[in-house]
Amino acid sequence: MIDLFSGLDAWVLVSLLLALAFVLAYEFINGFHDTANAVATVIYTKAMPPHLAVFFSGVFNFLGVLLGGVGVAYAIVHLLPVELLINVNTGHGLAMVFSLLAAAIAWNLGTWYFGIPASSSHTLIGSILGVGLANALLNDIPLGDGVNWQKAIDIGASLVFSPMAGFLIAALVLIGLKWWRPISKMHKTPEQRRKIDDKKHPPFWNRLVLVISAMAVSFVHGSNDGQKGIGLIMLVLIGIVPAQFVLDLNSTTYQIERTRDATLHLSQFYERNHDSLGEFLALGKSVKDDLPGKFRCNPQQTEPTISALLSSLNGVADYHSLSPESRIEVRRYLLCLDDTAKKVGKLPDLAAREKADLDKLRKDLTATTEYAPFWVILAVALALGLGTMIGWKRVVLTIGEKIGKQGMTYAQGMSAQITAAGLIGLANIFSLPVSTTHVLSSGVAGTMVANKSGLQGGTVKTILLAWVLTLPATVALSAGLFWAASKVLGT
């Protein structure tokens, strides 16, 4: 790892280390919020002692980050046009990184202080959007090109609908449990269990389900929210030291050959579908510019881009052999080809079988650009785990006692946790970031309604207010910070 940073100017190295520290601080504070939610129910119901719960939650968070891949991480990265990050100067890149991180950390700390289960996902996405919009305004780039709006809409939809689904599904699960076992002890609260049965812990089978579902939530949380930290670090590395991180320098010769083969097959794919794609891609026609520009990809430049990429990769067995400038160009070519292929896949005239083939080609095409070094994954996992161990108490109290007018029953805890684990796991499959905070807290609220326990209006209003305000507040805050930083640095 150390050799990747050798040869950097001292101020760039210091700035890079500070940026990485900011990301890890963000993940540490994320532990106050979202990871605490993963153990809130199991601690409140006394299914596990707090010290054991946070320890095993940390272990399963680590495993989730380790085994979760990088799909969600790059969903975050692709909120911004990556070409923009690669081609700005280092000072500009530092302004972007520090602005979005400072905005995210400030909002997360504020909501944590007041014990509000605010969403770290909303915070991060709002901060990235704010920086992208401010950057577009400062550089006279159309706002439509400053942010990947299609990706933003997809992510926004997942963040909006996942809490609604959590509310409804958790309520239905509880109703099913009440119908199946109406007089079971699982419908008691921990306080009722202590007073009536003189027992401190839940019944054995309820306790087992609570523990297993809590660890499942921890695992899927690590594989979803942990990846957001991975995506942030890759944004930092690509933005500040692009020569070392725009491509996976550890790619094997076989992986590079797969990338080259995918490029060839992509060209053949377009020729095979010339009748339906010829006009859209300007196949066989000359275009105004030969290659993609720095700030936008043009589908009509696909043929020259393929030619340039194949020329750049000709005879390359190791990315280290490419000059830093060539690595940046290769990444831009790959990203533009992938972007065009994604647009082609949405065209109505293309057969379903051809679309499936195109999806496979896209995976091979980006295999050496969408990656994360192991040290990045390890650092994020550790930051999440430490945040959990220190800051969980405030959020546990809110989840357990302040959402409903009565305390949470064991059945409610199981319903909310099973629902959260299932929904977040499903989001991971489709590489969509969701909020563990909102999925779990909305699940608890759904069970309170289904149990006719009622909701505490003040707490619900506070959570909803934070949910509504987080996005515009972080967009404005990060945009303002970026604007100020750009003026100070003269970028």
Side-chain angles (χ1 to χ4, degrees), residues 275-328:
D275 291 343
S276 56
L277 302 178
E279 189 66 28
F280 180 72
L281 300 176
L283 298 177
K285 300 177 182 178
S286 61
V287 292
K288 182 179 179 182
D289 299 310
D290 289 336
L291 297 174
K294 289 184 177 182
F295 301 118
R296 117 177 269 175
C297 301
N298 182 357
Q300 295 193 337
Q301 295 171 331
T302 295
E303 283 189 318
T305 302
I306 289 175
S307 298
L309 178 58
L310 290 174
S311 176
S312 298
L313 293 180
N314 185 37
V316 174
D318 187 336
Y319 280 144
H320 286 93
S321 65
L322 292 174
S323 67
E325 293 77 14
S326 295
R327 294 173 198 167
I328 291 172

Side-chain angles (χ1 to χ4, degrees), residues 22 25 34 59 62 129-130 180 188 306-307 383 392 396 411 433 448:
F22 263 60
D34 293 13
V59 170
F62 174 81
L129 292 178
W180 178 49
K188 294 180 179 178
I306 289 175
S307 298
W392 54 271
V396 168
M448 290 293 177

Side-chain angles (χ1 to χ4, degrees), residues 257-267 361 364-365:
E257 287 177 352
R258 279 184 64 189
T259 300
R260 190 163 45 236
D261 289 344
T263 308
L264 281 169
H265 292 151
L266 187 66
S267 177
L361 286 176
D364 284 345
L365 203 63

